[in-house]
Structure formats: C-alpha cells, structure tokens
Amino acid sequence: MRVYNFSSGPSVLPLKVLEKAAAAMTDANNTGQSVMEMSHRSGDFKPIIEGAEKSLREAMKIPDNYRVLFLQGGASLQFSMVPLNIAAVETGAPRKKITFIDTGVWAQKAAEEAAKFADVTVAASSKDKNYSYIPQNVKASSGDAYFHITLNNTIVGTKWPYLPETGTVPLVSDISSCILSEPLDVSKFGILYAGAQKNLGPAGTTVVIVRDDLIGRAPSWTPALLRYDIHAGEGSMYNTPPCWGIYIIGLVLDWVKEQGGVEALGVINRQKAGMLYSYLESSKNFVSPVEKTSRSLMNITFTSREKDPERKKAIETAFPKEAAAAGLVNLAGHRLVGGMRASIYNAMPVEGIKALIAFMEKFESKL
Ligand code: PMP
C-alpha cells in the first residue's frame, strides 16, 4: 500500500513515473539495458539527457542565453560552486563582495560557504521573528558579484512573495524546494540551482541554470570539476553524469507536461496549500507560525496552540506518530525547529491534503 508521504525531500514522486521506471528497469527504450547500465557516451543515453534538458527548458521557459547543467553534490555544493565561479578572484587580487538575505538555515549555509571566497554582507534577516517572514525592500549594492536569496525556505515554510530588484547585480537563487511549483521568470536571475530530490526526481542530481555571461569567470586555481565552463563545454559530461537521476527527471518532466505544465501545477498547488492554510486558520489546536504574505506553497509548517510547554511538546510528538500509523508519513518538523511540517510537492495529490485535514480534525477533536 502506498502512503501519503509528506517528506521534505527525498519526497513523493508521481506514481506513474515510478511505474514507468519500474517497467523499463531491465530494458529501457528497447535497448535491452537498464538506464543504470548504459554508457553515458552511448547513443542510447544521448536522447535521455538531451530530452531531459529540452523538457526542462520548455517547462520553465528557460531563455536561450542560459545553460542547463546536470551536476552532482546537491544544492550544498552550489553553495561553494556559485561563489567559486562568479565571485572568487585570482590569488592576491582584491576580494569581491556578495550580498545575502538571511531567511534561515539554507541561506546561512550558502552565506557561510561563500564567505570563504568573497566578502559577504547580510543585508537583511528575519531571525528576529524565528524566520517567519521574508524581509521587504531589500537592496543590492552595485558592484557586488551577486545577490543571493533562498526562494523557498524548506525548514520554516516561507517563500519570497516578490523578486528583489538587483539592477546589474546578478540575482542568484536556491530553488531546491520550489522548482516547477509555479511559473518563475528565469530571465530575472543570473543563476538558479536546485537539488533534484523534491519536485524533480531522485537525490543525486543537481540542476544548475546559469546565464551565459556568468560562465568562464572562475579563477585559474578552481578545481576542474567545480567549474561551470568545463561542465557547460562538455554538455554535463566532463565526467560520468548522474545518469539514472537525469532519466527520472525526464520522466517527471513528461508528467509535468501531462498535468498542463508549470502554470497548471501552480494553480493546483495554490489550491492544495490554500486548503491547508485555511484549515490551520480555523483550527482550535493547530496554527501556522508563518506570516500570511510569506507562506510557502510547498512546505507548510504548523505547531500546536497549546500554552503549556509540556503538553504542547506531548501533542507535537504524538501527532506525527499517530498520523504515520494512519498512513500519513513524515509530518514531524525539521529537527532544528520542531513542530510539524507537511511538504506538499507537485506529486502530492489533492486527496492527500484532504486525508491530512480529516486526520487533523479527528486528532484535535480528541484533545
Ligand atoms: N537548500 C534548500 C532550500 C533545501 O531544502 C535543501 C535540502 N533540504 C538544501 C539546500 C540542501 O540540499 P542538498 O541536500 O541537495 O545539498
């Protein structure tokens, strides 16, 4: 029996994709081989990687002056690769500057890593209110190597409700937990990156979308495998790419197209998130800690309204356990923030949201 899986990542994938992959496990596209067994340089794999890129370009309307790279190392490696490629300088040259906005753990990790290669300024932070909102009116300093935001903050459940104007400073964003969740104007960004394990496919593949003019700026001491120009020049095949992950991403993108594309998914995602948020607003026990204007469509965090700390803790421990026993799994909040979190990525059906709300109603009626 399939459960409703609310994991923040790796997370639910469309059943149809899993079934297609299962059917092709030992013989993909009549090649007599599994994709896992194919030479990445073979004519069998070529259409798989080219197809995945073409589908991603179509789904996200990626302009021609951007390159799509399928890499490894997760979003976390991009915390290092982005500054290495567009902010680091030759030995002895004056360090460049980067501006970050601190919206929680992933933004901080990106900033910490970047500080090894350039001078980092944190221009705004929502730490004062436990990261429950996205700072307004943020400003880029002209001359900066880039301006970094985490578009959707997986742990606290916030999402940027607007894109900051950065002028000529390239806007760079981590879109790990919101890629393909709704339309996004790629042309507003210099670099976008995402670990695949939420809306795209299995863990192990990272997608980087980088504007042409930002490729080829890495200092000479940069290791080859960390250079965008090398990966772009070799069509993501400087070394063996994460073949299986790229194959599944291609299947997920076929599914996205069948759903009506990112526009249609955006509408459904608003409905799904809207159902949960409106339930949380009316609930006697549960509450969303996030400011209304900064709510994520993908990661919906909630806590118990209970005032007594002991009882609150007991409720928040019992809820995910009881939910799991009822087939609704992975609802505990991130270990750093506690509480509860329902990650409702593209592949979570509306029925899953209805089942969760029904379970929450039943749970709170017993309190
Ligand atoms: N950024 C965001 C927004 C994330 O949600 C995560 C993982 N949940 C990461 C970065 C780290 O990704 P990875 O494990 O792929 O390095």
Side-chain angles (χ1 to χ4, degrees):
M1 190 197 79
R2 299 264 305 162
V3 290
Y4 286 121
N5 179 6
F6 295 92
S7 167
S8 62
S11 45
V12 58
L13 285 171
L15 182 58
K16 220 171 150 185
V17 166
L18 300 177
E19 285 172 346
K20 256 196 206 171
M25 182 58 85
T26 58
D27 182 5
N29 308 332
N30 296 319
T31 59
Q33 310 154 56
S34 167
V35 173
M36 269 183 267
E37 302 171 302
M38 276 176 193
S39 160
H40 61 293
R41 309 252 175 231
S42 67
D44 296 326
F45 186 67
K46 200 167 181 266
I48 292 176
I49 188 165
E50 288 178 356
E53 174 172 346
K54 186 167 172 277
S55 301
L56 188 67
R57 285 186 172 280
E58 273 172 28
M60 293 182 70
K61 298 193 169 70
I62 300 173
D64 289 345
N65 62 326
Y66 286 75
R67 303 300 298 266
V68 173
L69 308 177
F70 295 106
L71 308 180
Q72 303 188 51
S76 300
L77 186 59
Q78 294 312 306
F79 297 166
S80 323
M81 275 180 78
V82 173
L84 259 169
N85 279 274
I86 65 169
V89 289
E90 294 295 344
T91 311
R95 275 160 76 95
K96 290 190 182 163
K97 294 189 167 64
I98 316 173
T99 300
F100 276 76
I101 306 300
D102 172 25
T103 51
V105 167
W106 299 117
Q108 278 160 17
K109 289 204 165 165
E112 273 165 29
E113 210 47 32
K116 295 175 182 169
F117 306 105
D119 293 338
V120 164
T121 304
V122 176
S125 169
S126 47
K127 194 172 180 184
D128 58 337
K129 290 188 185 162
N130 289 327
Y131 298 109
S132 60
Y133 70 102
I134 298 292
Q136 294 290 312
N137 304 318
V138 297
K139 290 247 163 12
S141 304
S142 60
D144 273 13
Y146 66 96
F147 184 97
H148 185 279
I149 61 171
T150 310
L151 200 60
N152 185 80
N153 295 276
T154 326
I155 296 176
V156 287
T158 60
K159 185 195 73 159
W160 281 73
Y162 69 102
L163 293 182
E165 278 302 330
T166 59
T168 55
V169 177
L171 178 61
V172 173
S173 183
D174 178 351
I175 54 167
S176 293
S177 47
C178 59
I179 189 167
L180 302 176
S181 64
E182 61 181 336
L184 182 66
D185 184 353
V186 175
S187 73
K188 294 260 191 282
F189 298 86
I191 299 176
L192 291 166
Y193 61 90
Q197 65 272 21
K198 301 166 200 300
N199 265 341
L200 275 174
T205 305
T206 312
V207 167
V208 179
I209 302 165
V210 51
R211 210 172 60 207
D212 282 338
D213 61 293
L214 299 174
I215 297 175
R217 297 188 181 189
S220 55
W221 50 264
T222 309
L225 209 57
L226 303 181
R227 297 178 67 115
Y228 291 144
D229 53 353
I230 291 211
H231 288 294
E234 301 283 337
S236 301
M237 292 227 233
Y238 172 71
N239 68 331
T240 316
C243 304
W244 176 257
I246 294 167
Y247 164 66
I248 301 290
I249 290 173
L251 297 186
V252 169
L253 287 162
D254 291 345
W255 176 86
V256 166
K257 201 170 177 181
E258 281 166 29
Q259 307 309 300
V262 173
E263 286 77 11
L265 284 171
V267 173
I268 299 169
N269 286 331
R270 272 179 204 288
Q271 276 169 7
K272 280 161 39 184
M275 284 162 69
L276 255 180
Y277 284 120
S278 64
Y279 173 69
L280 289 171
E281 278 168 18
S282 67
S283 165
K284 285 204 174 66
N285 174 59
F286 298 109
V287 63
S288 159
V290 171
E291 271 186 19
K292 223 170 174 171
T293 54
S294 304
R295 287 170 168 176
S296 168
L297 292 180
M298 296 282 102
N299 312 101
I300 299 182
T301 51
F302 50 100
T303 58
S304 170
R305 290 178 195 267
E306 174 59 50
K307 294 270 184 311
D308 176 56
E310 287 296 308
R311 217 176 118 63
K312 179 175 157 72
K313 199 164 171 235
I315 290 171
E316 293 178 354
T317 309
F319 179 81
K321 266 197 199 148
E322 291 183 25
L328 306 162
V329 306
N330 293 316
L331 282 161
H334 191 277
R335 61 199 147 82
L336 293 175
V337 297
M340 280 81 67
R341 171 176 56 175
S343 294
I344 53 169
Y345 296 113
N346 286 346
M348 172 59 65
V350 175
E351 291 72 37
I353 312 292
K354 287 185 183 159
L356 174 59
I357 293 173
F359 180 81
M360 289 166 88
E361 278 170 344
K362 205 168 118 197
F363 181 91
E364 67 175 323
S365 72
K366 290 187 299 183
L367 291 175

